[in-house]
Amino acid sequence: MKNLSFFQPPVKARYYLLLFMAILLFGCNNDTEIIHLHGQVKGNIRIHKLKENTSTLPNVEFSISGECDGKEYLAHSNLNGEFSFPDLPMGAYNFTLFYNNDSITSLKDCSFLGGEGPAFLNFDLHGQPDIKDIEYHFEFINDTIWIIGQLELNEDPIIDYNTIYMTIKIDYYNPLEIAVPFDPVTKTIKYNWINNYYNYYQGNIDIQSYFFRTNKRYRAEFINNVNLYNHFEWLTLKNDSTSVDTFHIP
């Protein structure tokens, strides 16, 4: 299928088009006396392990900013991740999620039409704990490859899990990310990665690997209250990798 993105009008034109359609839907009959120029935006924040769909409650408070025509509106989440803008004027909004005054992710050009029913703004935060320092190596014992190591984490109350992801490449195979569990108390790694190694590989191989100290994905989604507009974006943060470690199996 051809890419039809060049048919999409600029955000301001799209906003006025949606406004015109809303007037046609709600304003062109004798029973409707007014058009609601204000409305509610409801939302929630979900926390996920990286590459897993199950979510957990944040248990921390976030701030959400909505900017439109030079004005800023603020909302705060509860410990369940729920928040609400109870009375926003219609317009084209830029929404930003904050934690401790630090910007996490943004969603721009959201066309809000007001009305009696709420619009919805949702944030999904996928990640692993931030790594401050890590030392690890591979051991080949009795046809089994083990990952052994010790790590130190940066404090991160948003993502509090006992799994980090290693990027790994075996000879000419494509790189992949594998989940590496660690003990949340001692911060030690002792992971039985591949059993019965010689059932999968034969001969000499080199294993190259590294960790990203920050490895997160954020998704933001806005759905307006008349189902005419669904806007979402992904933001991926991967940076400050450890040095590449090479392990040779004879």
Side-chain angles (χ1 to χ4, degrees), residues 79-95:
L79 297 184
N80 293 329
E82 301 165 336
F83 63 90
S84 174
F85 293 91
D87 187 30
L88 285 184
M90 63 193 308
Y93 282 84
N94 296 332
F95 291 105

Side-chain angles (χ1 to χ4, degrees), residues 50-51 167 177 212-217 236-241:
L50 195 65
K51 299 193 175 187
T167 301
E177 282 190 330
F212 282 108
R213 298 179 189 274
T214 295
N215 194 348
K216 293 183 171 68
R217 297 187 73 199
T236 300
L237 299 176
K238 287 186 176 183
N239 55 42
D240 191 18
S241 69

Side-chain angles (χ1 to χ4, degrees), residues 99 129-132 152-160 216:
Y99 178 73
D130 284 347
I131 300 172
K132 184 176 183 179
E152 182 181 358
L153 302 178
N154 287 320
E155 292 186 6
D156 187 351
I158 302 176
I159 303 294
D160 185 22
K216 293 183 171 68

Side-chain angles (χ1 to χ4, degrees), residues 107-153:
L107 187 63
K108 298 182 178 181
D109 303 332
C110 299
S111 298
F112 177 58
L113 301 178
E116 293 184 348
F120 297 94
L121 175 66
N122 300 315
F123 296 95
D124 290 274
L125 312 182
H126 301 247
Q128 68 173 34
D130 284 347
I131 300 172
K132 184 176 183 179
D133 194 19
I134 183 170
E135 294 183 3
Y136 72 96
H137 64 277
F138 293 87
E139 291 187 11
F140 187 53
I141 304 172
N142 297 328
D143 201 21
T144 298
I145 298 178
W146 290 79
I147 303 172
I148 310 294
Q150 183 78 39
L151 73 157
E152 182 181 358
L153 302 178

Side-chain angles (χ1 to χ4, degrees), residues 46-97:
R46 296 178 289 247
I47 310 295
H48 307 260
K49 284 186 179 181
L50 195 65
K51 299 193 175 187
E52 294 187 13
N53 291 324
T54 55
S55 62
T56 185
L57 300 178
N59 289 322
V60 294
E61 182 182 285
F62 294 86
S63 298
I64 305 91
S65 167
E67 296 183 352
C68 177
D69 293 334
K71 295 182 179 180
E72 183 179 22
Y73 305 86
L74 291 176
H76 300 280
S77 69
N78 60 26
L79 297 184
N80 293 329
E82 301 165 336
F83 63 90
S84 174
F85 293 91
D87 187 30
L88 285 184
M90 63 193 308
Y93 282 84
N94 296 332
F95 291 105
T96 304
L97 179 67

